[in-house]
Amino acid sequence: MLLPTRRLPAAPSRPAVHPHIISAPRTLRLRRQHGGATMARATSTTPPVLGDTLLGLYEKERLGLSRYADEESNEDMFWETLDADLQYWTRGLRPVQWYPGHIAKTEKELKGQLKLMDVVIEVRDARIPLATTHPKMDLWLGNRRRIIVMNREDMVSADDRNAWATYFSSQGMKVVYSNGQLGMGTMKLGRMAKSAASTVNTKRREKGLLPRPVRAGIVGYPNVGKSSLVNRLLKRRMCPAAPRPGVTRELKWVRFGKDLELLDSPGILPMRISDQTAALKLAICDDIGERSYDFADVAAILVQTLFRHPAVGPEAFRKRYKIDVDSDCGKMFVTKLSVHLFNGDTTQAAFRILSDFRKGRFGWVALERPPT
């Protein structure tokens, strides 16, 4: 007797898998527009390629290059739209202005001393080189030899340094990167200053005059590290220095060896800062007096900037403060942090964010790139 056989259900048919055919839907998430500047980020939901066939490996490489191109495009867009975003965000804020009485006196005296200088050393903050140069500097110096010192070079990335080095080289300007706190770059600066003014004593000898030390004036905005640089050059504390604007109050000549004299000067600012985007950067980097700005406003704009910064992003804030980032609004984040850590004190929360940025807690990042 034959037993009835049970028919097994047929297995569902599967489409053939070809390693070189990939479904790659992409979604484009547009961020809100700020004054005509639009930030966009493309995210890919491409599934991983199966197998290590030649076509599969080729496709992996292609997708990797595509993602790299997307990241590079996002970074370019960030720098292209940053100033437009900052200009839009600062429209309703109280203008950042700071002009203590000693600056007016310094500016007048400095113009007279410029006539005695063989070379001018202009110190800038490497994070914001354009915002830390006086609008009238070119007019004051004329054809006088100039060396630009990018101080705090340890606070920016190698990409930032390379970009600015290429830019200044194309402008025909001599640049030295330095760290006034640790003394990096100071010896090179001393050699460049002597070399830039080497023709001074040649002309004096031709006139039958005795040689004299080269005179170099150190100028720049408040708190960019001028006095610290002088002290490092001299290898002793000759000029008062502190990490806040307005410490140096008068001009002071000091001797560096037998061949170089240095003029340390107080920071100089325009009487009125018309470019509020630059003023905001000065406030963020602590290159202007604290009484000139509102901590909460400046911190909120810094948060929004770093959220979009390709080297930082919201994840850095989530890890740093252990709170969720559920909005790209800087003011909301400052308020949320104040409740989380400071019992609702937004000023304390804002000061913490600014201090963390200035100390590199979000990584060493610049707020400016060379103009294109």
Side-chain angles (χ1 to χ4, degrees), residues 253-274:
W253 283 99
V254 292
R255 178 70 67 90
F256 177 54
K258 297 180 180 179
D259 304 321
L260 184 63
E261 291 180 349
L262 298 171
L263 176 65
D264 184 32
S265 63
I268 50 175
L269 283 168
M271 182 177 294
R272 183 170 183 82
I273 305 176
S274 57

Side-chain angles (χ1 to χ4, degrees), residues 133-147:
T133 183
H134 199 289
K136 295 183 179 179
M137 187 62 69
D138 291 338
L139 177 64
W140 292 342
L141 299 186
N143 296 326
R144 193 166 280 101
R145 298 173 182 86
R146 171 163 53 167
I147 299 173

Side-chain angles (χ1 to χ4, degrees), residues 183-214:
M184 297 170 57
T186 53
M187 297 309 296
K188 181 180 179 181
L189 175 60
R191 291 193 300 269
M192 287 184 66
K194 294 176 185 178
S195 175
S198 59
T199 59
V200 172
N201 285 321
T202 301
K203 293 179 180 179
R204 288 179 64 86
R205 291 189 187 95
E206 292 174 353
K207 296 177 181 179
L209 300 175
L210 294 175
R212 63 166 175 78
V214 172

Side-chain angles (χ1 to χ4, degrees), residues 126 150-157 161 177-180 184:
M150 299 280 275
N151 198 30
R152 297 174 182 151
E153 57 101 14
D154 58 311
M155 293 187 176
V156 296
S157 67
R161 289 194 294 271
Y177 280 92
S178 73
N179 180 343
M184 297 170 57

Side-chain angles (χ1 to χ4, degrees), residues 30-40 76-89 308 328:
L30 292 179
R31 294 186 176 180
R32 71 182 66 175
Q33 294 185 352
H34 297 285
T38 305
M39 297 296 298
D76 291 341
M77 184 177 295
F78 168 80
W79 291 113
E80 289 172 3
T81 61
L82 176 59
D83 280 353
D85 286 341
L86 293 176
Q87 187 176 7
Y88 179 83
W89 293 334
R308 291 158 172 77
D328 62 355

